[in-house]
Amino acid sequence: MDFSLPADLVAYLGELDRFIEREIKPLEEADDNIRFFDHRREWARTDFENGGLPRHEWEALLRKAKDLADAAGHLRFPVPKQYGGRDGSNLWMAVIREHFAAKGLGLHNDLQNEHSIVGNFPVVTMLDRYGRDDQKAMIDGSIRGKYRITFGLTEPHHGSDATHMETRAVPATRDNVKGWIINGEKMWTTGMHVATHCALFARTSGNDGDARGISCFLVPAKTPGVKVEEYMWTFNMPTDHPRVSFTDVFVPEDAQFGEVGRGLSLAQCFVHQNRIRQAASSLGAAVYCINESVKYARERKPFGRALAENQAIQFPLVELATQAEMLRLLIRKTAWEMDQLTEEQIERTLSDRVSMCNYWANRLCCESADRAMQVHGGMGYSRHKPFEHIYRHHRRYRITEGSEEIQMRKVAGFLFGYMGPGKH
Protein backbone atom coordinates (compact mmCIF):
# COMPACT_ATOMS: atom_id res chain seq x y z
CA MET A 1 0.00 0.00 0.00
CA ASP A 2 1.44 3.36 -1.07
CA PHE A 3 0.81 6.16 1.44
CA SER A 4 2.73 8.81 -0.50
CA LEU A 5 0.86 11.71 -2.05
CA PRO A 6 0.23 11.52 -5.81
CA ALA A 7 2.79 13.47 -7.82
CA ASP A 8 0.11 15.63 -9.42
CA LEU A 9 -1.23 16.62 -5.99
CA VAL A 10 2.26 17.58 -4.81
CA ALA A 11 2.69 19.61 -7.99
CA TYR A 12 -0.62 21.37 -7.39
CA LEU A 13 0.40 22.33 -3.84
CA GLY A 14 3.47 23.97 -5.38
CA GLU A 15 1.29 25.79 -7.89
CA LEU A 16 -0.92 27.08 -5.08
CA ASP A 17 2.11 28.23 -3.08
CA ARG A 18 3.40 30.18 -6.06
CA PHE A 19 -0.01 31.78 -6.60
CA ILE A 20 -0.12 32.84 -2.94
CA GLU A 21 3.31 34.47 -3.16
CA ARG A 22 2.56 36.12 -6.50
CA GLU A 23 -0.97 37.47 -5.93
CA ILE A 24 -2.31 36.91 -2.42
CA LYS A 25 0.65 38.02 -0.29
CA PRO A 26 0.96 41.40 -2.07
CA LEU A 27 -2.76 42.02 -1.47
CA GLU A 28 -2.37 41.02 2.19
CA GLU A 29 0.47 43.50 2.62
CA ALA A 30 -1.14 46.39 0.70
CA ASP A 31 -3.05 49.28 2.34
CA ASP A 32 -2.28 48.02 5.85
CA ASN A 33 -4.40 44.89 5.20
CA ILE A 34 -2.02 43.10 7.54
CA ARG A 35 -4.07 44.67 10.35
CA PHE A 36 -6.61 41.91 9.79
CA PHE A 37 -4.00 39.27 10.71
CA ASP A 38 -1.59 40.83 13.23
CA HIS A 39 -2.24 41.81 16.86
CA ARG A 40 -4.99 44.22 15.71
CA ARG A 41 -6.99 41.49 13.97
CA GLU A 42 -10.02 41.28 16.25
CA TRP A 43 -10.56 45.05 16.31
CA ALA A 44 -9.84 45.41 12.59
CA ARG A 45 -12.33 42.70 11.67
CA THR A 46 -15.14 43.67 14.05
CA ASP A 47 -17.61 46.55 13.73
CA PHE A 48 -18.29 46.88 17.45
CA GLU A 49 -20.70 49.76 16.86
CA ASN A 50 -22.82 47.69 14.50
CA GLY A 51 -23.77 44.66 16.56
CA GLY A 52 -20.30 43.14 16.39
CA LEU A 53 -20.72 42.25 12.71
CA PRO A 54 -17.73 41.84 10.39
CA ARG A 55 -16.48 45.15 9.07
CA HIS A 56 -17.30 45.80 5.43
CA GLU A 57 -13.59 46.33 4.62
CA TRP A 58 -12.75 42.89 6.00
CA GLU A 59 -15.41 41.09 3.98
CA ALA A 60 -14.54 43.09 0.86
CA LEU A 61 -10.89 42.00 1.19
CA LEU A 62 -11.91 38.34 1.46
CA ARG A 63 -14.07 38.70 -1.64
CA LYS A 64 -11.20 40.29 -3.56
CA ALA A 65 -8.92 37.37 -2.67
CA LYS A 66 -11.61 34.90 -3.78
CA ASP A 67 -12.02 36.71 -7.08
CA LEU A 68 -8.27 36.52 -7.72
CA ALA A 69 -8.33 32.80 -6.93
CA ASP A 70 -11.35 32.28 -9.18
CA ALA A 71 -9.68 34.06 -12.08
CA ALA A 72 -6.62 31.82 -11.57
CA GLY A 73 -8.76 28.67 -11.59
CA HIS A 74 -8.28 27.69 -7.93
CA LEU A 75 -11.40 28.80 -6.05
CA ARG A 76 -13.70 26.25 -7.70
CA PHE A 77 -11.30 23.33 -7.39
CA PRO A 78 -13.77 21.02 -5.53
CA VAL A 79 -16.77 22.02 -7.70
CA PRO A 80 -17.98 19.75 -10.55
CA LYS A 81 -16.51 20.56 -13.95
CA GLN A 82 -19.84 21.63 -15.43
CA TYR A 83 -19.76 24.60 -13.02
CA GLY A 84 -16.20 25.59 -13.81
CA GLY A 85 -14.48 23.42 -11.19
CA ARG A 86 -12.06 20.50 -11.28
CA ASP A 87 -14.08 17.78 -9.51
CA GLY A 88 -11.62 18.01 -6.61
CA SER A 89 -11.85 14.99 -4.33
CA ASN A 90 -12.23 14.88 -0.55
CA LEU A 91 -8.70 13.48 -0.31
CA TRP A 92 -7.17 16.34 -2.29
CA MET A 93 -9.24 18.87 -0.35
CA ALA A 94 -8.08 17.40 2.96
CA VAL A 95 -4.44 17.66 1.92
CA ILE A 96 -4.87 21.21 0.61
CA ARG A 97 -6.73 22.38 3.72
CA GLU A 98 -4.04 20.98 6.02
CA HIS A 99 -1.31 22.53 3.87
CA PHE A 100 -2.92 25.97 3.99
CA ALA A 101 -3.63 25.94 7.73
CA ALA A 102 -0.08 24.83 8.49
CA LYS A 103 1.10 28.12 6.96
CA GLY A 104 -0.55 30.10 9.78
CA LEU A 105 -2.85 33.11 9.58
CA GLY A 106 -3.13 34.81 6.22
CA LEU A 107 -5.37 35.94 3.42
CA HIS A 108 -4.82 32.65 1.62
CA ASN A 109 -6.88 30.82 4.25
CA ASP A 110 -8.74 32.11 7.31
CA LEU A 111 -10.36 29.47 9.45
CA GLN A 112 -12.51 31.83 11.48
CA ASN A 113 -14.95 32.23 8.61
CA GLU A 114 -14.06 29.28 6.34
CA HIS A 115 -12.42 31.62 3.82
CA SER A 116 -9.93 30.01 1.47
CA ILE A 117 -8.54 30.58 -1.99
CA VAL A 118 -9.57 26.97 -2.63
CA GLY A 119 -13.22 27.20 -1.71
CA ASN A 120 -15.27 24.95 0.50
CA PHE A 121 -18.74 24.86 -1.05
CA PRO A 122 -21.06 22.37 0.71
CA VAL A 123 -24.07 24.44 -0.40
CA VAL A 124 -22.98 23.95 -4.02
CA THR A 125 -22.95 20.21 -3.39
CA MET A 126 -26.47 20.43 -1.95
CA LEU A 127 -27.73 22.40 -4.95
CA ASP A 128 -26.06 20.04 -7.42
CA ARG A 129 -27.32 16.83 -5.82
CA TYR A 130 -30.77 17.87 -4.65
CA GLY A 131 -31.74 21.04 -6.51
CA ARG A 132 -34.04 21.43 -9.48
CA ASP A 133 -32.61 22.94 -12.65
CA ASP A 134 -33.67 26.46 -11.61
CA GLN A 135 -31.98 25.96 -8.24
CA LYS A 136 -28.82 24.57 -9.84
CA ALA A 137 -28.75 27.79 -11.85
CA MET A 138 -27.82 29.53 -8.56
CA ILE A 139 -24.53 27.63 -8.28
CA ASP A 140 -22.36 30.03 -10.25
CA GLY A 141 -23.83 33.03 -8.44
CA SER A 142 -23.27 31.42 -5.05
CA ILE A 143 -19.58 30.94 -5.89
CA ARG A 144 -19.17 34.50 -7.16
CA GLY A 145 -21.03 36.03 -4.20
CA LYS A 146 -24.22 37.00 -6.03
CA TYR A 147 -26.11 34.56 -3.83
CA ARG A 148 -25.40 33.76 -0.17
CA ILE A 149 -27.36 30.79 1.14
CA THR A 150 -27.27 30.34 4.90
CA PHE A 151 -27.95 27.11 6.77
CA GLY A 152 -31.03 27.19 9.02
CA LEU A 153 -30.96 23.95 11.01
CA THR A 154 -30.04 24.61 14.66
CA GLU A 155 -32.70 26.02 17.01
CA PRO A 156 -32.58 27.82 20.38
CA HIS A 157 -33.97 24.81 22.28
CA HIS A 158 -32.65 22.04 20.02
CA GLY A 159 -29.00 22.67 19.27
CA SER A 160 -27.68 19.26 18.33
CA ASP A 161 -30.86 17.21 17.92
CA ALA A 162 -32.43 18.44 14.72
CA THR A 163 -35.11 15.76 14.82
CA HIS A 164 -36.86 17.59 17.68
CA MET A 165 -36.94 20.96 15.90
CA GLU A 166 -39.96 23.11 16.62
CA THR A 167 -40.04 24.97 13.30
CA ARG A 168 -43.11 23.89 11.35
CA ALA A 169 -44.17 24.24 7.72
CA VAL A 170 -47.80 23.58 6.78
CA PRO A 171 -49.38 23.57 3.31
CA ALA A 172 -51.25 26.79 2.47
CA THR A 173 -52.59 28.81 -0.43
CA ARG A 174 -52.14 32.57 -0.64
CA ASP A 175 -53.43 34.71 -3.53
CA ASN A 176 -54.21 31.48 -5.44
CA VAL A 177 -50.58 30.36 -5.08
CA LYS A 178 -49.95 27.01 -3.42
CA GLY A 179 -47.13 26.86 -0.93
CA TRP A 180 -46.18 26.63 2.71
CA ILE A 181 -46.46 28.79 5.82
CA ILE A 182 -43.45 28.47 8.11
CA ASN A 183 -43.16 29.41 11.77
CA GLY A 184 -40.18 28.92 14.06
CA GLU A 185 -36.76 30.15 15.14
CA LYS A 186 -33.20 29.28 14.17
CA MET A 187 -29.86 29.93 15.87
CA TRP A 188 -26.31 30.42 14.55
CA THR A 189 -27.61 31.12 11.05
CA THR A 190 -24.15 32.20 9.93
CA GLY A 191 -23.98 34.93 7.31
CA MET A 192 -27.58 36.09 7.56
CA HIS A 193 -26.46 39.74 7.52
CA VAL A 194 -25.50 39.36 3.84
CA ALA A 195 -27.73 36.42 2.90
CA THR A 196 -29.98 36.30 -0.12
CA HIS A 197 -31.57 33.00 0.96
CA CYS A 198 -31.78 30.65 3.90
CA ALA A 199 -31.85 26.88 3.45
CA LEU A 200 -34.49 26.49 6.14
CA PHE A 201 -35.30 23.14 7.70
CA ALA A 202 -38.79 22.59 9.12
CA ARG A 203 -40.95 19.66 10.13
CA THR A 204 -43.70 19.00 7.59
CA SER A 205 -44.93 15.63 8.92
CA GLY A 206 -44.25 12.97 11.51
CA ASN A 207 -43.47 13.27 15.20
CA ASP A 208 -40.72 14.81 17.26
CA GLY A 209 -37.68 12.59 17.07
CA ASP A 210 -38.49 11.18 13.62
CA ALA A 211 -35.73 11.53 11.06
CA ARG A 212 -38.32 11.47 8.29
CA GLY A 213 -40.79 14.32 7.95
CA ILE A 214 -38.28 17.20 7.94
CA SER A 215 -38.13 19.25 4.76
CA CYS A 216 -35.87 22.00 3.45
CA PHE A 217 -36.95 25.25 1.79
CA LEU A 218 -34.94 27.97 0.04
CA VAL A 219 -36.43 31.03 1.71
CA PRO A 220 -35.46 34.48 0.32
CA ALA A 221 -33.94 36.48 3.17
CA LYS A 222 -36.21 39.48 2.57
CA THR A 223 -39.45 37.48 2.72
CA PRO A 224 -41.99 39.15 5.04
CA GLY A 225 -41.85 37.51 8.46
CA VAL A 226 -38.10 36.77 8.37
CA LYS A 227 -36.41 38.76 11.14
CA VAL A 228 -32.93 38.79 12.66
CA GLU A 229 -33.68 39.03 16.38
CA GLU A 230 -30.10 39.41 17.64
CA TYR A 231 -26.49 38.72 16.79
CA MET A 232 -24.76 36.50 19.33
CA TRP A 233 -21.42 37.94 20.51
CA THR A 234 -19.01 35.07 20.63
CA PHE A 235 -15.76 33.71 22.03
CA ASN A 236 -13.96 34.97 18.94
CA MET A 237 -15.25 38.10 17.22
CA PRO A 238 -16.57 39.35 14.84
CA THR A 239 -19.94 37.63 14.91
CA ASP A 240 -22.21 36.83 12.02
CA HIS A 241 -24.25 34.27 13.97
CA PRO A 242 -27.80 35.51 14.59
CA ARG A 243 -30.99 34.20 16.08
CA VAL A 244 -33.60 34.46 13.33
CA SER A 245 -37.37 34.23 13.67
CA PHE A 246 -39.77 33.09 10.96
CA THR A 247 -43.32 34.31 11.61
CA ASP A 248 -46.07 33.28 9.19
CA VAL A 249 -43.52 33.19 6.40
CA PHE A 250 -45.21 32.17 3.14
CA VAL A 251 -43.17 30.52 0.40
CA PRO A 252 -44.51 29.07 -2.87
CA GLU A 253 -44.13 25.39 -3.69
CA ASP A 254 -41.05 26.08 -5.80
CA ALA A 255 -39.18 27.07 -2.63
CA GLN A 256 -39.06 23.38 -1.79
CA PHE A 257 -35.42 22.19 -1.79
CA GLY A 258 -35.10 18.44 -2.23
CA GLU A 259 -37.73 15.84 -1.49
CA VAL A 260 -40.46 16.69 1.02
CA GLY A 261 -39.84 14.82 4.26
CA ARG A 262 -36.23 13.91 3.39
CA GLY A 263 -34.55 17.18 4.30
CA LEU A 264 -32.03 15.63 6.65
CA SER A 265 -30.34 14.06 3.61
CA LEU A 266 -29.39 17.58 2.54
CA ALA A 267 -28.12 18.37 6.03
CA GLN A 268 -25.91 15.25 6.09
CA CYS A 269 -24.59 16.15 2.64
CA PHE A 270 -23.54 19.50 4.10
CA VAL A 271 -21.96 18.32 7.34
CA HIS A 272 -19.94 15.31 6.12
CA GLN A 273 -17.94 17.35 3.62
CA ASN A 274 -17.63 20.23 6.06
CA ARG A 275 -16.39 18.11 8.95
CA ILE A 276 -13.68 16.14 7.17
CA ARG A 277 -12.31 19.35 5.68
CA GLN A 278 -12.61 21.11 9.01
CA ALA A 279 -10.68 18.25 10.59
CA ALA A 280 -7.91 18.67 8.03
CA SER A 281 -7.75 22.41 8.71
CA SER A 282 -7.62 21.82 12.46
CA LEU A 283 -4.77 19.37 11.94
CA GLY A 284 -2.91 21.95 9.85
CA ALA A 285 -3.36 24.61 12.51
CA ALA A 286 -2.07 22.17 15.13
CA VAL A 287 0.98 21.43 12.99
CA TYR A 288 1.63 25.16 12.67
CA CYS A 289 1.57 25.56 16.47
CA ILE A 290 3.86 22.55 16.96
CA ASN A 291 6.37 23.70 14.34
CA GLU A 292 6.46 27.25 15.67
CA SER A 293 7.03 25.92 19.19
CA VAL A 294 9.91 23.71 18.08
CA LYS A 295 11.48 26.60 16.16
CA TYR A 296 11.16 28.99 19.12
CA ALA A 297 12.49 26.40 21.61
CA ARG A 298 15.62 25.95 19.51
CA GLU A 299 16.21 29.71 19.21
CA ARG A 300 15.31 30.86 22.74
CA LYS A 301 18.18 30.54 25.23
CA PRO A 302 17.18 31.65 28.73
CA PHE A 303 19.93 31.23 31.32
CA GLY A 304 22.37 30.35 28.54
CA ARG A 305 20.67 27.13 27.39
CA ALA A 306 18.24 26.53 24.55
CA LEU A 307 14.73 25.72 25.68
CA ALA A 308 14.85 22.73 23.33
CA GLU A 309 17.33 21.00 25.68
CA ASN A 310 14.65 20.80 28.36
CA GLN A 311 12.71 17.54 28.33
CA ALA A 312 9.74 19.35 29.87
CA ILE A 313 9.61 21.27 26.58
CA GLN A 314 10.48 18.32 24.34
CA PHE A 315 8.15 15.60 25.59
CA PRO A 316 4.77 17.40 25.32
CA LEU A 317 5.68 18.48 21.79
CA VAL A 318 6.74 14.91 20.96
CA GLU A 319 3.31 13.67 22.07
CA LEU A 320 1.50 16.31 20.01
CA ALA A 321 3.64 15.63 16.93
CA THR A 322 2.94 11.89 17.25
CA GLN A 323 -0.79 12.50 17.53
CA ALA A 324 -0.67 14.79 14.49
CA GLU A 325 1.06 12.15 12.40
CA MET A 326 -1.47 9.45 13.33
CA LEU A 327 -4.39 11.80 12.78
CA ARG A 328 -3.09 12.76 9.35
CA LEU A 329 -3.25 9.13 8.25
CA LEU A 330 -6.78 8.71 9.60
CA ILE A 331 -8.04 11.89 7.92
CA ARG A 332 -6.54 11.03 4.55
CA LYS A 333 -7.75 7.43 4.66
CA THR A 334 -11.26 8.56 5.65
CA ALA A 335 -11.34 11.26 2.96
CA TRP A 336 -10.21 8.71 0.35
CA GLU A 337 -12.93 6.28 1.45
CA MET A 338 -15.53 9.05 1.25
CA ASP A 339 -14.59 9.51 -2.40
CA GLN A 340 -15.59 5.89 -3.08
CA LEU A 341 -19.06 6.10 -1.50
CA THR A 342 -22.40 7.81 -1.96
CA GLU A 343 -23.69 10.18 0.72
CA GLU A 344 -26.08 7.52 2.00
CA GLN A 345 -23.25 4.97 2.20
CA ILE A 346 -21.06 7.44 4.09
CA GLU A 347 -23.81 7.96 6.67
CA ARG A 348 -24.36 4.22 7.10
CA THR A 349 -20.77 2.97 7.12
CA LEU A 350 -18.24 5.78 7.53
CA SER A 351 -19.72 8.66 9.51
CA ASP A 352 -18.15 7.37 12.74
CA ARG A 353 -14.70 7.86 11.17
CA VAL A 354 -15.63 11.36 10.01
CA SER A 355 -16.64 12.09 13.60
CA MET A 356 -13.38 10.64 14.95
CA CYS A 357 -11.40 12.92 12.65
CA ASN A 358 -13.48 15.95 13.53
CA TYR A 359 -13.47 15.80 17.31
CA TRP A 360 -9.87 14.64 17.67
CA ALA A 361 -8.50 17.24 15.26
CA ASN A 362 -10.25 20.06 17.10
CA ARG A 363 -8.99 18.73 20.44
CA LEU A 364 -5.44 18.36 19.12
CA CYS A 365 -5.48 21.91 17.75
CA CYS A 366 -6.57 23.37 21.08
CA GLU A 367 -3.91 21.41 22.95
CA SER A 368 -1.23 22.43 20.44
CA ALA A 369 -2.17 26.11 20.59
CA ASP A 370 -2.22 25.99 24.38
CA ARG A 371 1.22 24.35 24.44
CA ALA A 372 2.53 26.94 21.97
CA MET A 373 1.40 29.75 24.28
CA GLN A 374 3.26 28.10 27.16
CA VAL A 375 6.45 27.49 25.17
CA HIS A 376 6.47 31.08 23.93
CA GLY A 377 5.94 32.44 27.43
CA GLY A 378 4.96 36.09 27.61
CA MET A 379 4.90 36.50 23.83
CA GLY A 380 2.70 33.43 23.54
CA TYR A 381 0.22 35.09 25.86
CA SER A 382 0.21 38.29 23.79
CA ARG A 383 -1.81 38.83 20.64
CA HIS A 384 1.37 39.49 18.73
CA LYS A 385 1.41 35.73 18.19
CA PRO A 386 -1.59 33.94 16.61
CA PHE A 387 -1.89 31.16 19.17
CA GLU A 388 -4.72 32.65 21.25
CA HIS A 389 -6.66 33.30 18.03
CA ILE A 390 -6.17 29.69 16.92
CA TYR A 391 -7.06 28.38 20.38
CA ARG A 392 -10.26 30.38 20.65
CA HIS A 393 -11.43 29.45 17.16
CA HIS A 394 -10.90 25.73 17.60
CA ARG A 395 -12.28 25.77 21.12
CA ARG A 396 -15.39 27.22 19.50
CA TYR A 397 -15.41 24.28 17.07
CA ARG A 398 -15.30 21.88 20.00
CA ILE A 399 -18.39 23.55 21.48
CA THR A 400 -20.54 24.44 18.49
CA GLU A 401 -19.72 22.77 15.18
CA GLY A 402 -21.38 19.44 15.88
CA SER A 403 -19.82 19.61 19.31
CA GLU A 404 -17.21 17.17 20.53
CA GLU A 405 -19.66 15.19 22.63
CA ILE A 406 -22.04 14.78 19.69
CA GLN A 407 -19.23 13.49 17.48
CA MET A 408 -18.22 11.05 20.21
CA ARG A 409 -21.84 9.94 20.50
CA LYS A 410 -21.81 9.07 16.79
CA VAL A 411 -18.66 6.99 17.29
CA ALA A 412 -20.25 5.29 20.32
CA GLY A 413 -23.31 4.46 18.24
CA PHE A 414 -21.16 2.52 15.79
CA LEU A 415 -18.98 1.01 18.54
CA PHE A 416 -21.92 -0.28 20.61
CA GLY A 417 -24.07 -1.28 17.65
CA TYR A 418 -27.12 0.99 17.82
CA MET A 419 -25.98 2.96 14.75
CA GLY A 420 -24.16 2.01 11.59
CA PRO A 421 -24.71 -0.66 8.92
CA GLY A 422 -28.17 -2.23 9.12
CA LYS A 423 -29.49 0.41 11.53
CA HIS A 424 -30.95 2.82 8.93
Side-chain angles (χ1 to χ4, degrees), residues 84-340:
R86 304 193 191 184
D87 285 321
S89 68
N90 283 299
L91 174 59
W92 277 51
M93 282 295 289
V95 173
I96 291 168
R97 299 277 284 190
E98 179 193 341
H99 181 73
F100 279 176
K103 289 176 174 290
L105 300 186
L107 188 53
H108 66 286
N109 188 75
D110 192 83
L111 301 181
Q112 188 178 12
N113 49 22
E114 288 297 318
H115 162 79
S116 179
I117 59 167
V118 174
N120 186 33
F121 299 113
V123 168
V124 168
T125 305
M126 290 168 62
L127 288 168
D128 181 45
R129 292 185 182 176
Y130 297 98
R132 302 184 309 271
D133 287 345
D134 60 310
Q135 293 169 335
K136 290 180 181 181
M138 300 174 70
I139 287 176
D140 183 70
S142 68
I143 295 170
R144 290 188 293 105
K146 177 181 178 181
Y147 300 115
R148 174 68 186 268
I149 301 173
T150 63
F151 196 66
L153 183 65
T154 302
E155 296 190 349
H157 301 296
H158 304 283
S160 299
D161 184 5
T163 63
H164 284 82
M165 68 174 59
E166 297 176 29
T167 300
R168 295 289 187 268
V170 297
T173 300
R174 182 174 291 180
D175 298 328
N176 295 320
V177 177
K178 290 185 177 181
W180 302 82
I181 289 180
I182 307 174
N183 283 278
E185 273 195 333
K186 296 295 178 179
M187 286 282 287
W188 313 113
T189 318
T190 304
M192 199 67 186
H193 66 298
V194 292
T196 58
H197 297 77
C198 177
L200 179 63
F201 294 83
R203 182 164 292 284
T204 51
S205 65
N207 301 311
D208 288 344
D210 291 345
R212 296 287 182 94
I214 293 172
S215 304
C216 187
F217 302 90
L218 276 181
V219 179
K222 296 187 181 300
T223 302
V226 178
K227 181 183 179 183
V228 173
E229 298 288 349
E230 62 178 329
Y231 284 95
M232 311 302 295
W233 286 46
T234 56
F235 193 39
N236 53 331
M237 295 291 283
T239 179
D240 58 353
H241 313 299
R243 177 170 61 89
V244 185
S245 63
F246 300 83
T247 306
D248 293 331
V249 172
F250 177 79
V251 294
E253 286 184 329
D254 63 8
Q256 179 185 324
F257 188 14
E259 184 180 343
V260 171
R262 299 293 299 273
L264 287 187
S265 296
L266 280 76
Q268 292 294 349
C269 170
F270 184 100
V271 299
H272 283 142
Q273 275 196 8
N274 232 24
R275 286 175 181 163
I276 194 65
R277 294 171 186 179
Q278 182 196 103
S281 293
S282 298
L283 169 62
V287 168
Y288 170 80
C289 293
I290 295 166
N291 289 344
E292 288 296 302
S293 297
V294 170
K295 178 182 176 182
Y296 182 80
R298 296 178 70 179
E299 294 174 350
R300 180 74 167 171
K301 297 181 179 180
F303 310 108
R305 292 182 59 194
L307 279 176
E309 297 179 19
N310 189 334
Q311 289 181 344
I313 296 293
Q314 293 176 357
F315 285 6
L317 291 173
V318 166
E319 290 188 7
L320 293 170
T322 303
Q323 292 175 29
E325 188 65 28
M326 292 189 292
L327 180 60
R328 178 178 295 112
L329 294 175
L330 178 61
I331 289 174
R332 292 181 181 178
K333 179 176 182 293
T334 302
W336 178 83
E337 289 180 311
M338 289 174 68
D339 290 329
Q340 320 306 313

Side-chain angles (χ1 to χ4, degrees), residues 356-367:
M356 287 178 186
C357 294
N358 184 268
Y359 88 78
W360 194 257
N362 292 334
R363 181 183 294 185
L364 176 64
C365 188
C366 286
E367 292 177 356

Side-chain angles (χ1 to χ4, degrees), residues 352 355-356 359 405-419:
D352 62 327
S355 292
M356 287 178 186
Y359 88 78
E405 291 78 8
I406 298 303
Q407 299 308 310
M408 294 176 74
R409 183 184 177 200
K410 173 68 72 70
V411 177
F414 276 64
L415 186 63
F416 291 96
Y418 57 84
M419 297 178 69

